Amino acid sequence: MQKPFIYFFISLFFYSVSQAQKPKTPSSSIIYESIQKLNFLGSVLYVAAHPDDENTRLISYMSNHIKARTGYLSLTRGDGGQNLIGPEIRELLGVIRTQELLAARRIDGGEQFFTRANDFGYSKHPDETLAIWDKNEVLSDVVLAIRQFKPDIIINRFDHRTSGTTHGHHTSSAMLSMEAFDLANDKSAYVNQLKQTSLWQPKRLFFNTSWWFYGSQKKFKNADKSNMINFDIGTYYPLKGLSNNEVASLASSQHLCQGFGRLSQRGTQQEYIEFLKGDPLTDNKNIFAGINTSWNRIKGGKAIGDILYEVENNFNFKNPSQHIPQLLEAYKLLQNIESKHWKTQKTKELKSIIEMCAGLYLEVSADTNWATPNEKININIEVLNRSNLTINLVSLNNANDLNISKNIALKNNIKYDFKETVKISNNENPTTPYWLSEKGTLGMYKVNNTKLIGLPETPRLYNIDFNLMINNVPLTITKPIIHRYSKPEKGELYKPFEVIPEASAKITEKVIILDSDKQRDITVIVKAGRDNLEGFAEVCHPNDWSVYPKNQKVNIKHKGEEQSLVFTVIPPKNESEGYIGPIVTINENLYTKELIEIDYDHIPFQTVLLPSESKIVRLNIKKKGENIGYIQGAGDVVPESLQQIGYNVLTIKPEDINAEMLSRFDAIVVGIRAYNILDDLQFKQKQLFDFVKNGGNMIVQYNTSRGIKVDNLAPYDLKLSRDRVTNEHAEVRFLSPEHPILNYPNKITQKDFEGWTQERGLYFPSEWSDDFTPILSMNDKGETPKNGSLLVAKYGKGHYIYTGLSFFREFPEGVSGAYRLFANMLSIGKEDLKLEAKLND
C-alpha cells in the first residue's frame, strides 16, 4: 500500500529510478564522468553490517572524486529494525531496506552487495552474532564478495577490536572482513567458489575511524594519526552543481523507513581511515599509492588507454557522439584482453557510454506489469537513434522464444515502434526476492543457487537483446521488460515486469485470537493471476480445530481480480494455538502463498511471495474497559491486535487531541517511537496528563533515548537509556508480584513470557521517581538487572504506564502472554471500580 511522505527531490543529473526502471536521461556531464571512471582501474569495497551503516560521504567521495569503482557490502538487509513509513516488518522490511540501499547507490555512484546473514535483531557481542549467523557461511560470502568484486582497497565501517562495546553485528562485520582479506587469495579456502570466480588479494585494509570511536572530539584531536589517511570529503563537483556532502545527504536520505531523511550539508569536512593491514602506506594522502590504476595495469591495456585518455582530454560536451568511432575502436581492442575480470567490467561500462553518446533510447514495455506461466504478453519496443551515426538494428531476441530479424537503418531522431509477443515459460518460477524463496534459520537465509549469493535482488529473467551494428561494429544492448503507464494525477510511471502464480491467497488477519470456544468467521481472499480462474479453496488447520465448509469454489473472471470466501472456524474448548493457511487447487496444482505488493514512491514497486499462514490462538483472556484511543507511532499492528481481543480502537491524530475527545476513551495507548517522530505531541502532553488525572489510563510504548520531542515524557521524572534485553528467553523476575497489573483481570505467570520473539524489550528507563512502581526485572547474560521494562504510576485518578517491552513484535507473532499482560495494563484501576460498584449495591 502506498504511503505519503516527504522526500528529497533529486537534481536532474541523477537519473533516479523513482517508480522503478525509468530510462536514463544522461547529460553530457554524466557521460564525461562515466568516461573518467572508465579510465580509472581501481576499486574500493566498503564493509558494514546493516542498511544505513554505510558512510555515504566516503562512498560518494571514492566514486565521484577518486573515480574508483566503489561497492558497499552490507552483511544483512536490516530485517530486524523498525519501519517508520509503514507496517512492514521482518522479511518485508528487509525488502524495503534492500531497495533503499539500491536507491542510495544510484545517487552516490556505488554498487550494492549482501551476504546471506539475517538481521535477527540487536546483539550485544560478536560471539552471539557469529553463533546465530553461522560464521563459516557468512565468512564464505564475504570472501566471495571480495573474489568477485576484486577490490584494491577494503574499508571497514567498524572496529574489529571493540567486542562487546557496540552492536555485535557491527563488530562481526569488521572481524569477518579482517579474516576474509587473507582468505580471498587462499586457494584452499572455499574451493567451490573458484568454479565461478578466481582468487584475489586486496592491497590494503582500513578502518573508517572518527572522533566518535575515540569518545570525544578532544581525544580524537590528540590521537596519533600517523597511521591514518584523511580526506576533505566536502569537495565541490562543478559538473554536478553539488558538493560531495550534498550528494551523500541525498543518498542517505533514501533510508526513509529508518527516518534518515535529512538536510543536505556543504563545506569542508575531514574523513579519516586507519590503516590495518596490507601493503604499507607510502603516501598519507593517497589511498591508492603504489597501485597502478591506469590502463597500463592490464596486458594490452596501453593501446586502449591511449584512445580513451584522448577522448577524456578532448571530450566534446556539445556533441558526445563525435567520440563513438574512438569508443568503438577501444571496444574492439577490449574484447581481446586476457583478464576476464577487466574485460567484463570495462566492456559493461564502455557499452553504456556508447549508448549514451549515441543518444540511443531502447525500451521494452509490456501492456501489463505481471503475467503467469504459459501466458503470452504483448510488448511495445521503442528504438530511437539521436545521433548522426550509421546505426542499424540488426535483430531482436531473448532467451525464450523471440528471435526477429529487423535490418533497419535507424535514422537520426526517427522513432521506431515494434509490436511483438513474448510467451512466459510454462515452468517459470514466480518473481520474488531470491533469499525468501526457501525457509531459512533465525540467522541465515537459505539460497540454493550459489550464483545468486551476494546479489542485491533477483535478476530479471525477461529481457530483450537489441543487436546493433554501429559503424560496422556489432554491439548488443540488453534491456529488461518493464511496464510503462500513466496516471492523470502523477504522469508517466514505471513498474518492473513480474511473473506471478496463477493463484495466490491470504487470510485477512495474520493473528486470530479467540477468547472463548465460540465459532468465528474468517475471510480468505483468492487473487487471480490469469483470466478465467476456476478451482476450489480450503483452509488447513490444527487437528483440534474445525473449519467449515471443507472447501469452496473459486471462480474469477479476470486477472488481477479477487474473490472473498468466508469460512467458519470452530475452536477447541481449551487453550490451543497453531497455524491455519489457505490452499487453492487449480487443475490439480496447489497454491499456498500470498502475493504481497510493496509500493512506495522512493523505491521500485515490489512483489513478494511468502507462505500464507495465520497464527490462531484459543486464549483464556479477560479484560476491562472497552474504548481505546491509539496514537500511531513508527508503525505497528498494535491497534489491530487490540481489536482482536475485543477492544474498540480508534486511531487518533495528535493535532485532534483535546479534552472532549479524550473523555470518550478508557485508555490512551501511544505507539512505538511516537515521541521521536510526532512534533505535535509536545503541545498535547498537558491534555494527555489531565486525561490520566481524571481517571484514564495512558500506556506509552518504547521511544529511543535520543530525539525526544517533549520536555516531560511522563507526569513524573523518567529518564530513558539504551538498556535492552536482547535474549527473548531471558529470565523474567516479578518485582511486585502482588501488583494488580500482574493479577487482574488475568493472573500473569512465567508461562506468559514463553514464546517471545527477537527480544524482551529495548530502551528501558534507567532512572525514575518513587512515584513509579517497577514490575519486572530481567537482563541478558553477564549484565546487571534491568528493572525499567514496565513502570506503573498512579497519577490523580488514573494510571500512567511506560513500557519498553516489545509488544509490537510479540503481537504479530500471536504471543498469548503478551496479549494477557497488555489487557491487564489496559484494565488497571478497573478493579477499584468493580469493588466500588459492589459496595454501592
Side-chain angles (χ1 to χ4, degrees), residues 152-206:
D152 298 302
I153 306 297
I154 296 177
I155 302 175
N156 291 344
R157 180 66 176 120
F158 299 104
D159 192 347
H160 65 286
R161 300 159 293 196
T162 55
S163 294
T165 62
T166 183
H167 198 321
H169 296 183
H170 292 169
T171 311
S172 295
S173 70
M175 293 167 62
L176 292 171
S177 178
M178 286 286 289
E179 227 176 311
F181 183 87
D182 298 313
L183 289 175
N185 199 39
D186 183 348
K187 63 182 180 181
S188 66
Y190 307 110
V191 177
N192 287 337
Q193 292 181 4
L194 301 178
K195 297 175 182 178
Q196 63 185 74
T197 187
S198 58
L199 299 175
W200 182 254
Q201 182 56 63
K203 298 297 190 295
R204 297 188 182 103
L205 176 64
F206 294 88

Side-chain angles (χ1 to χ4, degrees), residues 143-291:
V143 170
L144 179 64
I146 294 172
R147 286 174 172 175
Q148 291 180 328
F149 189 73
K150 301 193 183 311
D152 298 302
I153 306 297
I154 296 177
I155 302 175
N156 291 344
R157 180 66 176 120
F158 299 104
D159 192 347
H160 65 286
R161 300 159 293 196
T162 55
S163 294
T165 62
T166 183
H167 198 321
H169 296 183
H170 292 169
T171 311
S172 295
S173 70
M175 293 167 62
L176 292 171
S177 178
M178 286 286 289
E179 227 176 311
F181 183 87
D182 298 313
L183 289 175
N185 199 39
D186 183 348
K187 63 182 180 181
S188 66
Y190 307 110
V191 177
N192 287 337
Q193 292 181 4
L194 301 178
K195 297 175 182 178
Q196 63 185 74
T197 187
S198 58
L199 299 175
W200 182 254
Q201 182 56 63
K203 298 297 190 295
R204 297 188 182 103
L205 176 64
F206 294 88
F207 160 47
N208 184 194
T209 191
S210 70
W211 69 264
W212 190 88
F213 292 97
Y214 282 76
S216 69
Q217 297 270 14
K218 182 178 181 181
K219 289 181 180 179
F220 186 62
K221 182 179 180 180
N222 296 327
D224 179 10
K225 299 183 180 65
S226 60
N227 209 30
M228 297 183 190
I229 296 178
N230 67 296
F231 314 95
D232 180 1
I233 47 85
T235 185
Y236 178 69
Y237 303 128
L239 289 173
K240 300 182 188 297
L242 293 172
S243 67
N244 185 75
N245 274 341
E246 289 174 297
V247 175
S249 296
L250 288 167
S252 64
S253 288
Q254 299 309 299
H255 296 298
L256 291 177
C257 74
Q258 302 184 71
F260 267 48
R262 60 189 178 98
L263 293 173
S264 58
Q265 298 178 347
R266 286 157 290 276
T268 184
Q269 184 177 350
Q270 296 299 310
E271 193 74 48
Y272 291 83
I273 56 174
E274 176 190 354
F275 175 75
L276 296 178
K277 64 161 63 174
D279 294 353
L281 289 178
T282 58
D283 182 349
N284 277 17
K285 294 295 180 183
N286 183 5
I287 193 173
F288 282 96
I291 302 172

Side-chain angles (χ1 to χ4, degrees), residues 61 85 100 102 135 156 192 194 202 226 229 364 413 430 458 467 474 499-500 546 602 620 661 685 733 750 780 796:
Y61 183 87
I85 61 174
E100 288 184 339
L102 289 170
K135 176 188 175 182
N156 291 344
N192 287 337
L194 301 178
S226 60
I229 296 178
V364 187
N413 210 31
T458 305
N467 301 309
V499 178
I500 66 171
S546 298
H602 66 304
N620 289 326
M661 169 198 267
Q685 282 295 79
R733 299 174 293 274
Q750 291 295 329
D780 283 323

Side-chain angles (χ1 to χ4, degrees), residues 1-98:
M1 63 183 68
Q2 193 155 336
K3 308 291 184 306
F5 51 83
I6 297 173
Y7 66 104
F8 286 91
F9 176 77
I10 300 174
S11 298
L12 288 177
F13 88 91
F14 293 120
Y15 37 89
S16 174
V17 287
S18 170
Q19 286 294 343
Q21 297 151 3
K22 189 173 183 178
K24 299 177 181 179
T25 54
S27 65
S28 291
S29 296
I30 290 175
I31 299 172
Y32 178 67
E33 288 183 298
S34 298
I35 293 171
Q36 289 181 307
K37 291 183 178 182
L38 178 69
N39 283 335
F40 190 94
L41 278 70
S43 53
V44 177
L45 183 65
Y46 199 85
V47 180
H50 309 107
D52 84 1
D53 283 344
E54 83 273 28
N55 184 343
T56 55
R57 299 183 302 274
L58 195 51
I59 290 176
S60 177
Y61 183 87
M62 291 297 159
S63 175
N64 296 300
H65 182 76
I66 302 295
K67 306 300 181 184
R69 183 187 177 205
T70 307
Y72 174 42
L73 175 61
S74 176
L75 268 59
T76 77
R77 297 177 186 266
D79 306 53
Q82 281 84 55
N83 183 0
L84 298 185
I85 61 174
E88 297 89 356
I89 59 174
R90 292 304 307 157
E91 296 92 346
L92 297 179
L93 179 59
V95 173
I96 293 174
R97 291 189 171 182
T98 293

